[in-house]
């Protein structure tokens, strides 16, 4: 395993952990509260449930390395939606009351990298593909 592969694995797992925490946080807040917050931003409330599941299940799938490219692509969409609907108006660094979108941009870049990167050896994706090629 070369250094790039090791860093790719670390990025995938850490991104997964971050999204698991975001998903768990939404469930702990209560999805009804998240739905109300989404609605206050002009976002259809049902998307709160969709986003929470994508973050939680997607995060777990990233940690495992399962369907990494697809999950990462979904996360790019979720993050872009968060920037456009909730964070763009407060600016890159935020406004003192709410965080800006600088961290979202970094998470988008990591997700985009995982969309185009080669499969890493320590992943379910790699295991599945190596079994298929035998």
């Amino acid at each position: 395993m070369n250094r790039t592969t090791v860093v790719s694995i670390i990025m995938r797992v850490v991104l997964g952990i971050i999204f698991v925490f975001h998903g768990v946080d939404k469930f702990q807040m209560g999805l009804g509260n998240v739905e109300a917050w989404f609605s206050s931003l002009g976002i259809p409330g049902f998307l709160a449930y969709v986003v929470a599941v994508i973050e939680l299940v997607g995060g777990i799938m990233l940690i495992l390395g399962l369907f990494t490219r697809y999950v990462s692509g979904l996360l790019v969409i979720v993050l872009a939606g968060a920037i456009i609907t909730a964070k763009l108006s407060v600016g890159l660094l935020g406004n003192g009351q709410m965080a800006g979108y600088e961290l979202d941009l970094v998470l988008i870049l990591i997700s985009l990298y995982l969309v185009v990167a080669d499969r890493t050896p320590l992943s379910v994706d790699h295991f599945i593909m190596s079994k298929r090629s035998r």
Side-chain angles (χ1 to χ4, degrees):
M1 245 190 301
N2 63 30
R3 289 180 286 180
T4 305
T5 302
V6 171
V7 171
S8 295
I9 293 167
I10 292 169
M11 287 181 0
R12 188 192 80 229
V13 171
V14 170
L15 185 67
I17 291 168
I18 289 169
F19 276 103
V20 165
F21 274 86
H22 276 270
V24 167
D25 187 49
K26 283 180 178 57
F27 280 99
Q28 287 179 338
M29 278 192 276
L31 290 179
N33 293 330
V34 179
E35 180 180 7
W37 180 61
F38 273 40
S39 295
S40 75
L41 295 172
I43 305 167
F46 78 91
L47 286 178
Y49 300 92
V50 174
V51 168
V53 169
I54 288 172
E55 289 178 348
L56 180 62
V57 175
I60 292 167
M61 291 172 78
L62 282 179
I63 292 167
L64 297 172
L66 179 61
F67 302 121
T68 301
R69 289 183 175 152
Y70 302 109
V71 171
S72 297
L74 270 176
L75 293 175
V76 168
I77 294 167
V78 168
L79 289 162
I83 290 172
I84 292 166
T85 59
K87 296 189 174 187
L88 197 60
S89 62
V90 297
L92 180 68
L93 300 177
N95 62 8
Q97 295 175 5
M98 185 174 168
Y101 55 89
E102 74 279 10
L103 295 177
D104 298 86
L105 288 176
V106 173
L107 296 175
I108 284 174
L109 290 174
I110 294 169
S111 296
L112 284 173
Y113 172 80
L114 293 174
V115 168
V116 300
D118 293 332
R119 289 176 182 84
T120 56
L122 297 176
S123 68
V124 175
D125 289 338
H126 181 75
F127 176 74
I128 291 170
M129 292 310 288
S130 64
K131 273 211 166 220
R132 280 188 180 173
S133 63
R134 285 187 213 161

